Amino acid sequence: MRTQVCIIGGGPSGLILSQLLHKAGIDTVVLERRTRDYVLSRIRAGVLEFGAVNMLRKAGVGARMDREGFVHDGVYLAAQNRGFRIDFKRLVGKQVMVYGQTEVTQDLYAARDAMGGVVIHQAEGVTPHDLKTDAPFVTYHRDGAEHRIDCDYVIGCDGFHGVSRTCIPASVLNTYERVYPFGWLGVLSQTPPVSDELIYANHERGFALCSMRNENLSRYYLQVPVDDPIEKWTDAAFWDELRRRIPEDAAGRIVTGAAIEKSIAPLRSFVAEPMRWGRLFLVGDAAHIVPPTGAKGLNLAMSDVHYLYEALLSRYNDRDEAALDGYSACALARIWKSTRFSWWMTTTLHRFPDQAGFDQRIQETELAYLESSDIAQAALAENYVGLPY
Ligand code: RFL
Ligand code: PHB
């Protein structure tokens, strides 16, 4: 088989890139290791920056998001039972959209189907070849046979554990990493959200986050030791702990119910540079990971797609490769800013195992300064709603 752009990974970044390129008349094939049901069962991001919202509209998949998503003008921050609000709309004139990654992926698959886009599921042993030549190709196994796709470019949208990044020689690739000494216990429950906007809570027992998917679906997170056995967190233990960590008025309003999903995720910051090697380009989690405290992971994948899509358009429409040559540097400039913001939100809001004395007072002062200063709040708001592409 031959295509122009072979995309490895059928998560949100691979799907939206193939959708945008297809709309622009550029042929793509997406190779996904898992089944569609598996991809759609992953519960992850919940907050879209305004830039990501516009990208989805541009890809022709914004209709259900605009109907069913929730536009949020701000968030609450809380520390030791006291809360204050960051008003994005007043401070920076922008908002975010609360719309789950599962819904985004579902809309993208529906759009790919409607356009006859080629997404090959259960593609095993996906391997890129000849990436430093003008004729790269990708092989994979399916139904007991080996298949080959010849292409102009290979795009690695295959997440942190994918194969694409491993194709770049270690002598070329620089990686930067911070692993945080805790995890997030996430719970999805069919109950009304406790608050109309998200609550990020700093507490001496650890961080807590109250988020949501819709008026009868809540998403909550607790900072926990990353190696905690999940059985320890019975529904009752989870609700009790959440109530302790958020302000009393919110705790009093919580509607509890059975958890329909419960898991513990590690937190890390990771950046791989460069994001291009020959005819291979990395996008999204394949190149970088942020801790979820700033709600940036999916949004960064979207801005990478934006830069790469524009660069591929210049290449195919105008035979101009300058933007492709500049892709890695351009994407990384924005990635590092979101990496900084996600690190800052994480260090400001979590309790670290060795946190005492000086570190503790600095964290308290960071929050007190934020509460008292419109300028500090505007900096948080500018980053949270998303820096411009
Ligand atoms: P994905 O979603 O990991 O998709 C990669 C796809 O590639 C496939 N794959 C392969 N296919 C073929 N061959 C191989 N060898 C392959 N290896 C892997 C995988 O099966 C998969 O389908 O990467 P992508 O598209 O770059 O998207 C990134 C986002 O999924 C991720 O950044 C976000 O989910 C991060 N994230 C959040 N981001 C936000 O913007 N806002 C949030 O509020 C937010 N909350 C979160 C999050 C991530 C979380 N976890 C558990 C990681 C909350 C959590 C708890
Ligand atoms: C979510 O709703 O899953 C969510 C929201 C905000 C975050 C992280 C996750 O910072």
Side-chain angles (χ1 to χ4, degrees), residues 244-389:
R244 290 193 190 103
R245 296 187 189 185
I246 61 176
E248 264 167 32
D249 57 332
R253 283 198 310 269
I254 280 199
V255 181
T256 62
I260 53 177
E261 196 267 350
K262 197 187 282 169
S263 57
I264 296 177
L267 267 69
R268 66 151 59 86
S269 299
F270 174 87
V271 182
E273 300 181 343
M275 290 166 65
R276 182 226 184 133
W277 190 65
R279 294 274 179 143
L280 171 72
F281 292 83
L282 301 181
V283 170
D285 279 17
H288 43 77
I289 296 286
V290 287
T293 328
K296 289 289 167 242
L298 175 60
N299 291 301
L300 273 183
M302 293 286 187
S303 59
D304 290 354
V305 168
H306 164 80
Y307 295 125
L308 189 58
Y309 164 69
E310 294 291 335
L312 286 167
L313 279 194
S314 301
R315 156 69 180 77
Y316 282 108
N317 293 344
D318 310 322
R319 297 178 171 276
D320 180 353
E321 295 193 14
L324 276 181
D325 291 341
Y327 165 72
S328 178
C330 182
L332 280 163
R334 190 173 188 280
I335 288 159
W336 274 111
K337 287 177 191 149
S338 289
T339 301
R340 182 206 70 84
F341 177 67
S342 304
W343 160 84
W344 177 81
M345 286 283 282
T346 304
T347 39
T348 303
L349 292 169
H350 289 74
R351 203 49 58 125
F352 284 70
D354 57 354
Q355 187 168 322
F358 184 83
D359 293 339
Q360 174 61 29
R361 297 306 295 262
I362 288 290
Q363 194 182 71
E364 287 164 13
T365 308
E366 188 84 59
L367 287 162
Y369 171 54
L370 202 54
E371 184 170 6
S372 67
S373 164
D374 250 19
I375 293 172
Q377 289 189 16
L380 191 160
E382 182 183 37
N383 281 277
Y384 197 95
V385 302
L387 297 173
Y389 292 177

Side-chain angles (χ1 to χ4, degrees), residues 9 13 32-33 42 44-46 101 158 285 295-299:
S13 55
E32 166 58 49
R33 184 168 58 178
R42 288 191 295 228
R44 289 179 161 190
Q101 180 167 332
D158 47 352
D285 279 17
K296 289 289 167 242
L298 175 60
N299 291 301

Side-chain angles (χ1 to χ4, degrees), residues 44-47 184 198 200 209 211 213 219 221 292-295 384:
R44 289 179 161 190
V47 177
W184 271 22
L198 274 62
Y200 287 84
L209 169 60
S211 182
R213 291 293 178 272
R219 181 72 169 151
Y221 298 95
T293 328
Y384 197 95

Side-chain angles (χ1 to χ4, degrees), residues 63-328:
R64 192 162 73 98
M65 169 190 71
D66 283 325
R67 256 192 342 266
E68 298 178 13
F70 293 82
V71 174
H72 282 205
D73 294 346
V75 291
Y76 293 99
L77 295 191
Q80 299 302 113
N81 206 22
R82 279 169 14 83
F84 61 99
R85 181 166 181 265
I86 310 277
D87 187 333
F88 305 147
K89 206 171 170 197
R90 176 178 71 80
L91 292 158
V92 293
K94 297 202 170 70
Q95 298 146 299
V96 293
M97 176 79 83
V98 171
Y99 190 64
Q101 180 167 332
T102 318
E103 310 307 317
V104 170
T105 312
Q106 213 167 65
D107 296 347
L108 283 164
Y109 270 123
R112 294 286 54 224
D113 290 347
M115 280 183 82
V118 181
V119 183
I120 299 170
H121 283 276
Q122 292 171 286
E124 285 171 26
V126 172
T127 311
H129 303 269
D130 292 0
L131 294 166
K132 287 294 252 186
T133 73
D134 290 347
F137 63 98
V138 179
T139 54
Y140 65 96
H141 289 91
R142 194 174 195 279
D143 300 329
E146 184 175 78
H147 303 268
R148 170 176 169 144
I149 299 178
D150 291 281
C151 55
D152 300 331
Y153 297 101
V154 179
I155 314 298
C157 294
D158 47 352
F160 185 65
H161 299 288
V163 65
S164 303
R165 192 177 66 252
T166 67
C167 297
I168 304 181
S171 57
V172 175
L173 199 70
N174 293 304
T175 59
Y176 303 86
E177 185 170 38
R178 168 150 306 178
V179 176
Y180 299 88
F182 38 73
W184 271 22
L185 168 66
V187 162
L188 188 70
S189 93
Q190 238 150 25
T191 50
V194 67
S195 162
D196 57 340
E197 291 178 339
L198 274 62
I199 304 174
Y200 287 84
N202 173 306
H203 193 274
E204 63 192 0
R205 297 177 65 90
F207 169 76
L209 169 60
C210 305
S211 182
M212 65 200 72
R213 291 293 178 272
N214 60 45
E215 52 281 269
N216 200 33
L217 198 54
S218 305
R219 181 72 169 151
Y220 296 105
Y221 298 95
L222 290 179
Q223 173 187 347
V224 297
V226 71
D227 50 6
D228 254 10
I230 193 77
E231 311 78 60
K232 172 179 157 188
W233 290 100
T234 60
D235 289 357
F238 171 79
W239 293 114
D240 283 349
E241 189 59 27
L242 182 65
R243 274 200 205 91
R244 290 193 190 103
R245 296 187 189 185
I246 61 176
E248 264 167 32
D249 57 332
R253 283 198 310 269
I254 280 199
V255 181
T256 62
I260 53 177
E261 196 267 350
K262 197 187 282 169
S263 57
I264 296 177
L267 267 69
R268 66 151 59 86
S269 299
F270 174 87
V271 182
E273 300 181 343
M275 290 166 65
R276 182 226 184 133
W277 190 65
R279 294 274 179 143
L280 171 72
F281 292 83
L282 301 181
V283 170
D285 279 17
H288 43 77
I289 296 286
V290 287
T293 328
K296 289 289 167 242
L298 175 60
N299 291 301
L300 273 183
M302 293 286 187
S303 59
D304 290 354
V305 168
H306 164 80
Y307 295 125
L308 189 58
Y309 164 69
E310 294 291 335
L312 286 167
L313 279 194
S314 301
R315 156 69 180 77
Y316 282 108
N317 293 344
D318 310 322
R319 297 178 171 276
D320 180 353
E321 295 193 14
L324 276 181
D325 291 341
Y327 165 72
S328 178

